[in-house]
Every structure is written in C-alpha cells, then in structure tokens.
Amino acid sequence: MLEIQTHHLSKSYGPVRAVEDISLEVEAGEVFGLIGPDGAGKTTLFRILTSLILPDTGTATVAGLDVVREYKQLRQIIGYMPGRFSLYQDLTVEENLGFFANVFGVRIRDNYELIRDIYVQLEPFKDRRAGALSGGMKQKLALCCALIHRPRVLLLDEPGTGVDPVSRKEFWDMLRRLRASGITILVSTPNMDEAELCDRIALLQQGQLLAVNTPAGITAGFRRPLFAVRSDEMYRLIQDLRSFEGAADCHAFGEYAHLTLNTANEPADEKLILQYLVSQNHRNIEVKPVAATVEDCFIDLMTTTQNPKLKTQNL
Amino acid sequence: MPVIATDKLTRTFGAFTAVNAITFSVEQGEIFGFLGANGAGKTTALKMLTGLLTPTSGSATVAGFDVWKQPEQVKRRIGYMSQKFSLYEDLTVRENIRLYGGIYGLKMPEIRSKTADLLQKLGIEQEADQRVSALPLGWKQKLAFSVALLHEPKIVFLDEPTSGVDPLARRQFWELIYEAAASGVTLMVTTHYMEEAEYCNRVSMMVDGKIEALDTPRELKTQFEANDMDEVFRKLARKGLVVE
C-alpha cells in the first residue's frame, strides 16, 4: 500500500524552482530517504507533505489524505521534525513533551511505550530547559515530541545535521526500531553515507529527481569501471589521471582519488594505470578496482543528466 | 620547522579545563584535520591558535609567532573560511574581495590585480558585479576559499568547509585544497563530518579537552579496526563518554 504519493509536484519561490515535477511513491512501513545537497528541494517537499505550504501544481497524499483538501485530518496522523530545532527553548524537556501531547489531545502515558527507549536517555535532564540541551539531546527530544501522538507517518528533515557521529548512529538505530512498530518514515539527509541505512532512496538535485531505487539498486546502475587510486602527491595525481587514456572522470574521494574509465579494457586496466603513474614519477602508488558508492552514482547522474540547468550549476 | 607547534597548551574557565595540555605539531603543506565532538575543546583550542584567546598555561607557535606574546603577528599570517559564513551576501563578488583585501592591509593596486586573477581562475568574470547571494553554493564556497588565500597566509583554517554542498562541488573543492597544500599552504580543517576527515593527511581527535588520537586516517582505521572515520570517532568518543 502506498503511504505517501506525490504526483507531478512543483513549487517555486519567485524565480527559484525549488521542486520541479516530482512524482514519488513511498510504501507503508518503509524507511524512505530523500538524499540531496542543500537546495535540492528536500525541505520544500516536507513542507508540502505536512500541509505547511501549498504546491503550485501537482498533488500529494499522505495516508490517503490529500495534503491540500484534507489538511486537518492529515495533521492528526503525521509526526514532523523540521530541520531547525523547533521546540520551545524556555520550556523544560518534560514540559515540551507534555505540551505536544496536549496539542494532539493525548496523554504521555498513552503512547509512552513508543518513545520509552529514547525518553529514558532524556529523563535525567527532564527539568532542564530545552534550549540548554546538547545537539544530540535536542534531536532526541524533538523525536519524542513528534511521536507522542503515535503518528502513522513520520517526517524527519535532516535529523543528522549538526549532530556528532555517535548521536547520529543512535538516531538511525532508533528509526529501525520505529519502523518495526509499523510507522512509515520519510527522512532526508545531505549525507550520502546515510543512504545505505534506508530501504529505498530518492536522489534529488536542484529540485529534480535523479533516481529512485534501493541503495543497492542505485549502485548497481553504475556501469563503468571504477578505480580507487592514491600516491604521495594527491593534487598532481588527479591531474595526471585525467590525462590517462580512456579516463572519463577523476575526483578526490577521501584518501583516494576515484577514476572512472570509459569502457572496460580487460583486467589489464589496473596494471596499465599503475605503469602510467610510475612513468609519471609518482611514489607509493596504490590502484584497486572498487564498487561505486551512492556518492559516485550521484555525481554520475548529475554529470550525465540531459538537464541543462543541472549542468551549468556545476561548471 | 613546523608551521603550528603546541606544547602542553591548556585553557581553563574557572574549574573547567576546556583544553588539557595538548601537544602536537603540523608541518608546512599539510592538510590537518582537527576533530572532536561538540564540547570536546576544539573551538577553545582554535581560538588560542588564532590569537583570539590567551592560554592559561603551555605554549604555542603559529607561523613562527608565539600566540601568547605576538597574537597580532599570528592573525596577519592566517586565513579563515567557513562554509556557513565567510562572505557578505549583500555585497558583490568584487566588493567582497576588496573588503577582505582591505582588512588584511593590501594596497588598492594589489587588490585590483588580485581580483582580476581570482575572477579569471574561478571563471566568474561575468558574475563579478553580482551579489554573492545570487551565486550557487558551490561557487560561493570556492570564492570564500580564494578570498581566505588573498593575503597569502601561511595557514588557512577551514570550518566544516563542505557540509551541505553537492558531492561534485565537494570533490572540486577538495581539489582546490590539495592545490593550495601542494603550493605550501598549511590547511587546518575542523569538522564533525567524518567524510571530510577522510581527505586530510593526518587527523587529531579531541575528547574531553585532550588529544586522544593523532595519525593518518588510514592508520587510525587500522588501529581502531574501523571501516571508516565515523567508526573511529564513535569508538574514541565512547571512551570519554560525554556527560552534557
């Protein structure tokens, strides 16, 4: 069953086309990731799906409810955690939770089971004002407040931003447990590494959809040979690799440079690259074939897209 | 001679020790990652290294000057760039360059020639008189970095330089950083995005005011039996379990 559906959704702010013709389908019980950099249109999509802004054209439903016509019922059954911390900074942890329960007409104890795992970590600080919490703690409190009315659909806009890796890991573990309780989760992130943690992902760039698939389905779509290469001089290495015969693309990627070749040239490729780099006087060379990451695919889709708007942005 | 060298550098605020006797050095042309969780002491350490805060004890030299005795000399030889804030959005590209050139004491003819070089190098001559707010994020970021290099600093401090930008822009940006490093500039990157840490030559990890680990990303991953820097971070941070 489809829990979230958008149909040719578009939204502009003046000349800026924030979301362009986006059609998406999210199944019930999925953790679905919206992956894209700042300006991809993630937040605009969330704001349309939560009925906070109206789309210019197109339609969307959440749990079968139209986001424009049936917004009142919609707001009862969704939980939303905006990208910016939006709880009351002057209220304590406990007061914030009580306030949100009250707004939705429930008591904390009605749905405490759902948030218990998360809330126990906050309990030692329950009398602390929300504004005085650390980034990770704020995020946990915001999640509790978004869950206290037991929503059918949970919408999380960049929950990992500004949070250290320890808290981020804990947060994703929590999302898995929530999914097990049957809640559908739409979560956005600019971090390509987090794509792997979702059941399915949509790659977004400049308001447009580049691809929708499982993370494995996305990476399987990368067809050209890809190598991770390193040497002592990274800057010169990248320049040299671009001049290698058959090189399609070369970019810095962590401690390696990623080199994409136009076509596979038998297994000799690795050796040819090595020989070439030796002839260019590189030292401590390492060359190995690697599987594409979601990030490699994202770049590939960005650069091979037919859309001129996406191309000019990245000259 | 190292470009940055600290010896038991310490800073306390009342009873709280924010930076606890850190000793490390950074060589010329190195891309050095300075990592740690919120509250680990990174910001305090950086404020001392940039001459904005005096140490309680210990010492540090930056570009050969003592941060305690010669903070003004230090400030003249460093650059700073943050992806979130470095440029004035309401000023044009050209105005931003002129403003920073002026702040760092460059003379007008010098600013003019540097502006021309910079615009040409980045390929943004057409946009020179546009407000910075109208530029795509990836361009802003490259401009911010180039502006931070305008006065030919020995060291540039980069604060989460590539968070939020698309992957292609991010990789292009790291190439600019590699280029600067290859020309002898030292780069000090602070971030809590571990994918940024993977690009550094060496990284240090602060936990509770101390440097708990310092090595190449590769060595750290081996040492902590981790697949990526995220995992290294998690294993280290757990040691000094954060009580906030």
Side-chain angles (χ1 to χ4, degrees):
Chain A
M1 203 189 79
L2 293 178
E3 198 71 344
I4 301 174
Q5 196 166 18
T6 76
H7 193 64
H8 298 296
L9 214 51
S10 294
K11 174 77 186 178
S12 295
Y13 303 107
V16 180
R17 298 164 82 177
V19 165
E20 276 190 85
D21 195 28
I22 295 220
S23 299
L24 273 181
E25 294 180 339
V26 178
E27 305 276 342
E30 267 191 307
V31 175
F32 191 97
L34 295 176
I35 317 284
D38 292 358
K42 305 184 299 288
T43 298
T44 300
L45 267 176
F46 276 112
R47 294 177 69 82
I48 292 172
L49 292 175
T50 50
S51 80
L52 294 174
I53 55 172
L54 299 173
D56 296 337
T57 55
T59 56
T61 59
V62 176
L65 298 167
D66 186 279
V67 296
V68 179
R69 284 182 290 106
E70 297 166 295
Y71 72 93
K72 281 190 179 163
Q73 297 100 296
L74 172 85
R75 289 177 186 182
Q76 299 292 323
I77 56 110
I78 57 170
Y80 175 43
M81 194 173 138
R84 264 184 55 192
F85 183 67
S86 303
L87 302 182
Y88 291 91
Q89 312 253 3
D90 297 348
L91 296 186
T92 65
V93 167
E94 198 172 30
E95 286 167 345
N96 264 294
L97 190 62
F99 174 81
F100 280 90
N102 219 322
V103 165
F104 284 104
V106 297
R107 292 167 303 182
I108 293 176
R109 65 171 180 272
D110 294 338
N111 295 319
Y112 187 72
E113 274 308 295
L114 193 61
I115 63 163
R116 188 176 53 195
D117 284 352
I118 313 162
Y119 195 71
V120 288
Q121 300 174 48
L122 289 166
E123 218 138 32
F125 313 100
K126 67 184 169 54
D127 295 323
R128 191 181 286 192
R129 287 184 187 192
L133 294 174
S134 71
M137 288 292 181
K138 278 182 180 165
Q139 181 207 44
K140 283 171 191 157
L141 177 59
L143 183 61
C144 288
C145 291
L147 284 169
I148 196 60
H149 60 298
R150 191 175 283 275
R152 252 180 85 165
V153 178
L154 187 59
L155 301 129
L156 309 169
D157 193 4
E158 294 204 16
T161 297
V163 177
D164 71 55
V166 178
S167 302
R168 214 153 56 205
K169 171 85 165 42
E170 287 172 357
F171 196 82
W172 279 97
D173 292 343
M174 281 179 232
L175 294 191
R176 299 199 166 280
R177 288 200 293 271
L178 286 171
R179 179 182 60 175
S181 71
I183 296 175
T184 304
I185 300 170
L186 184 69
V187 55
S188 72
T189 174
N191 187 346
M192 306 279 150
D193 298 348
E194 290 179 332
E196 310 280 339
L197 303 168
C198 304
D199 297 318
R200 286 196 307 143
I201 53 175
L203 302 184
L204 288 168
Q205 165 78 350
Q206 304 277 333
Q208 308 201 1
L209 206 53
L210 295 175
V212 180
N213 210 326
T214 58
I218 296 271
T219 49
F222 194 94
R223 303 258 177 234
R224 290 179 295 178
L226 182 70
F227 293 88
V229 188
R230 56 177 281 148
S231 82
D232 282 349
E233 293 170 79
M234 286 305 280
Y235 180 63
R236 194 165 70 84
L237 177 74
I238 294 167
Q239 313 300 318
D240 286 344
L241 285 174
R242 285 190 185 136
S243 311
F244 179 71
E245 204 187 325
D249 213 350
C250 181
H251 292 288
F253 189 73
E255 57 177 326
Y256 292 94
H258 272 191
L259 170 70
T260 312
L261 299 184
N262 283 318
T263 45
N265 188 8
E266 295 306 306
D269 281 332
E270 218 172 313
K271 226 171 166 181
L272 286 175
I273 297 166
L274 189 64
Q275 280 167 4
Y276 168 74
L277 291 175
V278 169
S279 76
Q280 300 294 316
N281 301 316
H282 280 276
R283 279 170 307 167
N284 291 324
I285 307 163
E286 186 186 338
V287 181
K288 59 179 183 185
V290 285
T293 63
V294 170
E295 189 168 317
D296 291 306
C297 298
F298 196 100
I299 291 176
D300 197 41
L301 290 163
M302 272 174 71
T303 47
T304 56
T305 179
Q306 296 305 305
N307 187 318
K309 177 182 161 191
L310 296 188
K311 277 194 170 163
T312 53
Q313 292 285 340
N314 288 290
L315 287 178
Chain B
M1 199 184 84
V3 173
I4 298 175
T6 75
D7 184 26
K8 301 196 188 77
L9 189 66
T10 301
R11 173 71 201 204
T12 58
F13 296 100
F16 176 66
T17 305
V19 173
N20 193 351
I22 60 173
T23 301
F24 70 101
S25 62
V26 182
E27 297 299 321
Q28 188 189 354
E30 203 175 355
I31 305 172
F32 190 86
F34 201 63
L35 317 177
N38 294 329
K42 267 182 334 207
T43 308
T44 305
L46 281 171
K47 280 189 174 169
M48 290 192 279
L49 295 178
T50 50
L52 298 174
L53 189 69
T54 51
T56 307
S57 63
S59 65
T61 58
V62 173
F65 294 95
D66 188 299
V67 296
W68 200 72
K69 293 183 203 122
Q70 302 159 296
E72 295 310 312
Q73 302 280 16
V74 169
K75 286 180 202 169
R76 246 169 254 162
R77 281 157 186 87
I78 59 176
Y80 172 81
M81 178 229 163
S82 147
Q83 200 253 123
K84 295 286 172 214
F85 174 81
S86 268
L87 301 170
Y88 288 86
E89 298 263 315
D90 294 341
L91 297 183
T92 66
V93 171
R94 200 186 294 281
E95 286 166 345
N96 265 289
I97 300 172
R98 195 174 137 198
L99 173 68
Y100 280 94
I103 288 172
Y104 281 108
L106 303 186
K107 302 273 182 282
M108 237 2 246
E110 204 178 348
I111 292 177
R112 266 190 223 106
S113 80
K114 282 188 181 266
T115 302
D117 293 349
L118 196 157
L119 293 175
Q120 196 207 354
K121 188 182 171 203
L122 296 181
I124 53 170
E125 285 125 317
Q126 302 285 318
E127 288 78 15
D129 296 308
Q130 276 186 24
R131 286 188 186 190
V132 161
S133 56
L135 297 181
L137 191 60
W139 291 19
K140 274 188 212 172
Q141 182 196 41
K142 287 178 201 164
L143 179 62
F145 183 58
S146 305
V147 165
L149 286 168
L150 207 61
H151 60 294
E152 297 171 17
K154 300 273 184 249
I155 302 155
V156 179
F157 291 86
L158 303 166
D159 184 20
E160 292 182 0
T162 61
S163 64
V165 304
D166 72 63
L168 185 57
R170 178 159 75 214
R171 291 181 185 197
Q172 288 170 346
F173 186 75
W174 278 102
E175 203 173 317
L176 279 184
I177 295 179
Y178 286 155
E179 186 185 9
S183 76
V185 179
T186 303
L187 289 313
M188 184 118 172
V189 182
T190 55
T191 182
H192 55 223
Y193 294 96
M194 293 302 122
E195 67 267 26
E196 294 193 323
E198 307 263 356
Y199 288 82
C200 298
N201 300 130
R202 287 191 305 152
V203 300
S204 69
M205 195 85 79
M206 275 190 85
V207 181
D208 291 345
K210 290 184 185 155
I211 291 183
E212 284 289 345
L214 197 169
D215 218 317
T216 62
R218 165 173 296 224
E219 276 304 319
L220 288 176
K221 282 184 265 185
T222 312
Q223 191 185 328
F224 287 89
E225 295 171 359
N227 289 316
D228 51 29
M229 287 302 294
D230 243 47
E231 205 179 327
V232 172
F233 185 98
R234 289 200 302 268
K235 287 184 171 168
L236 263 167
R238 204 171 292 146
K239 277 172 67 180
L241 203 60
V242 200
V243 183
E244 291 171 278

